[in-house]
Amino acid sequence: MRSTIHIDDFSRLNSERAKEVSYSIFFGMLLCSSPFNSFVTAEFIDSFNFDVLYLYAALAFMPGLLLVLISMKSIRHIRPYPLFSLDWPSSIYFSGVIIAFGYMMVYGQEVYWFSDQHMQVALLLGIALLICFIIRQMILKRVYVDISLFKNRRLLLGLLILFMMYIERFSLSVSNQYFSQVLKLDPIHLSHVQWFNILGIIMGVLFSMYWIVAHKAVKWIWILGYCFLLSFHQVMFFSFESEGNDYYFWIPLWLHGFGVGLIMVPTILFTIASVKSHLAVSAAAVCLAIRYLGYTSSIGLQNFFKLFDANQHQMVFQDYLQQNNIILQRYFEKESATLLKNGLQFHEHATAIKLVTERVKNQAFVRFAMDYYELMSLISIGILIVIFLSPSLKSMYKKLKRNIVSPA
């Protein structure tokens, strides 16, 4: 006897409305998890060293384990799953592909991409595993992921919307870095600012839930969501300064949360409803992979802009820091006099140089953030054009009742 949970618990809900509401709650909690975790852990990060934090993080799994043991019943499946249906080789190939992709996105820019031997090995290994995975799916009777679903244009549209949404979702980390590095917010105050983003997510999910329950065309909820994301990136683009106050940014944080909350649930449901019922499980698995690929792609883009683009801006700024620059000389004299007045009698000129270096570093970060958010704005505009050119997409509700599966 053992504690188990059924894969198709979501499909056992009694009504179609209950299934749609359960999806909204599940993904709403998923979207809120990152900013909420930062709020919960901010006090610990500010008060303890990382050795103690990792010890507490390891022990934090114990309450969840106890909750599972207490809340779940020991049952046996009426219909046992045959072991021959578990395709472990395909699972290993599939996992290897996404791990190789994630490795390249995280570390690629730091080692100048494929000039590094490890990147070359990761690329070749990922391609080899992908080819093995595809060939295996073509010859097996009980496939791990049915690759025929990629012939469905509606599915590909949903995957594109989901992939780009995840890239734009994690652009919020650039704003968080700006708050920490430029505005000098400590982790506690930074976590408090994130509540505006959580509020936007909750409101967006509730609005999208109403839209889905009312069986309205998903096209217009996508358009509205990406308009909010476009607004967030444009507002932040013009708000990045070397100085500022955190309470100026609650509106763009809310815009970001509301836009993500609007897009997430309708996109998942649309993608699953775009395929035939026997392909719904494969579509759900692909959606899960696309979410991961979107997250790691956002890391790769941010690393590229931060390590390459920011350095380019810093080099341009440094070209103006010459001995014959009158403005720079006046700044040195002003800062040296201020430091001398505050009690620093030695090396005040060297300290002023360090202050200039810090300002150049912050200004380079601001330029990097502006360039990155400009790219996100262009992505939003491109996706909006694609959505405008698509049909009404209202027919998804005809298949949604049959195709709903576990979202995880």
Side-chain angles (χ1 to χ4, degrees):
M1 302 294 289
R2 55 190 178 93
S3 296
T4 57
I5 183 169
H6 290 284
I7 289 178
D8 58 344
D9 281 339
F10 276 76
S11 63
R12 296 187 176 206
L13 296 173
N14 294 328
S15 65
E16 183 180 353
R17 176 173 297 185
K19 298 175 184 178
E20 295 160 350
V21 171
S22 65
Y23 260 66
S24 300
I25 294 175
F26 177 85
F27 285 110
M29 295 174 62
L30 180 65
L31 292 173
C32 292
S33 60
S34 296
F36 181 76
N37 287 341
S38 66
F39 172 77
V40 173
T41 59
E43 185 71 32
F44 297 99
I45 293 175
D46 202 46
S47 304
F48 299 94
N49 60 51
F50 281 94
D51 292 335
V52 177
L53 286 177
Y54 277 104
L55 176 61
Y56 288 159
L59 297 177
F61 290 97
M62 297 303 297
L65 177 61
L66 294 176
L67 182 62
V68 170
L69 294 176
I70 295 173
S71 61
M72 297 180 64
K73 297 180 179 180
S74 296
I75 62 173
R76 295 186 65 89
H77 289 295
I78 298 176
R79 181 182 177 184
Y81 295 106
L83 294 179
F84 59 81
S85 296
L86 300 178
D87 187 12
W88 290 107
S90 295
S91 177
I92 294 174
Y93 294 153
F94 187 75
S95 301
V97 171
I98 62 176
I99 290 174
F101 181 84
Y103 177 81
M104 290 187 290
M105 290 295 103
V106 173
Y107 298 105
Q109 184 61 37
E110 295 183 3
V111 295
Y112 298 102
W113 294 99
F114 300 110
S115 60
D116 181 74
Q117 184 178 2
H118 295 89
M119 287 295 109
Q120 297 174 5
V121 172
L123 176 63
L124 295 176
L125 183 61
I127 294 175
L129 291 175
L130 179 61
I131 294 174
C132 293
F133 177 80
I134 294 175
I135 294 176
R136 186 171 179 82
Q137 305 316 300
M138 295 175 64
I139 62 177
L140 282 181
K141 180 180 179 181
R142 298 179 178 87
V143 296
Y144 186 78
V145 173
D146 196 326
I147 60 176
S148 64
L149 56 84
F150 291 102
K151 299 178 182 179
N152 190 315
R153 293 183 179 180
R154 293 166 64 89
L155 173 81
L156 296 178
L157 175 62
L159 295 180
L160 175 64
I161 299 297
L162 185 63
F163 179 78
M164 293 303 179
M165 188 277 290
Y166 257 75
I167 290 180
E168 296 196 36
R169 176 196 173 190
F170 288 102
S171 67
L172 185 64
S173 61
V174 176
S175 298
N176 293 336
Q177 295 174 34
Y178 168 75
F179 296 147
S180 300
Q181 179 174 331
V182 180
L183 301 187
K184 307 299 182 183
L185 292 185
D186 58 87
I188 296 177
H189 286 84
L190 180 60
S191 66
H192 292 166
V193 173
Q194 299 304 314
W195 276 104
F196 295 107
N197 186 250
I198 294 177
L199 177 63
I201 291 174
I202 294 174
M203 295 177 64
V205 169
L206 291 177
F207 188 86
S208 66
M209 180 179 65
Y210 164 76
W211 196 274
I212 294 172
V213 171
H215 286 191
K216 297 184 178 180
V218 70
K219 173 180 180 177
W220 303 109
I221 197 75
W222 280 349
I223 292 175
L224 185 61
Y226 273 100
C227 284
F228 274 96
L229 289 179
L230 176 61
S231 301
F232 161 74
H233 291 113
Q234 283 297 293
V235 171
M236 290 299 300
F237 178 86
F238 292 103
S239 299
F240 284 125
E241 298 287 348
S242 58
E243 296 178 352
N245 295 312
D246 57 332
Y247 53 81
Y248 291 155
F249 298 95
W250 71 268
I251 292 180
L253 289 176
W254 180 88
L255 289 174
H256 180 274
F258 194 77
V260 170
L262 286 176
I263 298 172
M264 182 68 167
V265 179
T267 307
I268 296 291
L269 296 181
F270 170 80
T271 305
I272 297 175
S274 299
V275 299
K276 297 180 179 179
S277 57
H278 68 279
L279 298 176
V281 175
S282 295
V286 172
C287 286
L288 185 60
I290 288 296
R291 284 155 52 190
Y292 169 81
L293 296 178
Y295 167 64
T296 52
S297 297
S298 70
I299 295 177
L301 281 174
Q302 291 179 28
N303 287 343
F304 171 77
F305 275 85
K306 187 174 183 180
L307 299 177
F308 176 77
D309 190 67
N311 287 336
Q312 293 291 103
H313 287 300
Q314 190 167 348
M315 292 173 61
V316 172
F317 290 139
Q318 289 175 350
D319 291 339
Y320 292 94
L321 302 180
Q322 304 295 334
Q323 292 284 343
N324 56 0
N325 191 323
I326 299 177
I327 298 177
L328 180 63
Q329 293 177 2
R330 290 176 180 176
Y331 177 81
F332 280 152
E333 294 173 358
K334 178 182 177 181
E335 292 298 324
S336 298
T338 302
L339 293 171
L340 185 62
K341 181 179 179 180
N342 291 333
L344 183 63
Q345 298 182 0
F346 302 99
H347 307 296
E348 65 274 2
H349 188 72
T351 306
I353 293 177
K354 291 183 178 180
L355 292 176
V356 171
T357 303
E358 183 66 21
R359 292 194 63 177
V360 169
K361 182 180 178 181
N362 288 341
Q363 194 62 35
F365 180 87
V366 169
R367 289 301 310 174
F368 139 72
M370 293 177 67
D371 291 344
Y372 188 76
Y373 275 34
E374 182 180 15
L375 175 63
M376 293 297 103
S377 299
L378 294 176
I379 290 177
S380 297
I381 294 174
I383 292 297
L384 283 171
I385 294 175
V386 172
I387 297 174
F388 269 116
L389 296 177
S390 64
S392 64
L393 309 177
K394 191 175 181 179
S395 59
M396 79 166 194
Y397 299 102
K398 298 178 181 178
K399 297 182 179 179
L400 191 58
K401 187 175 181 180
R402 314 192 294 269
N403 286 9
I404 287 186
V405 294
S406 175

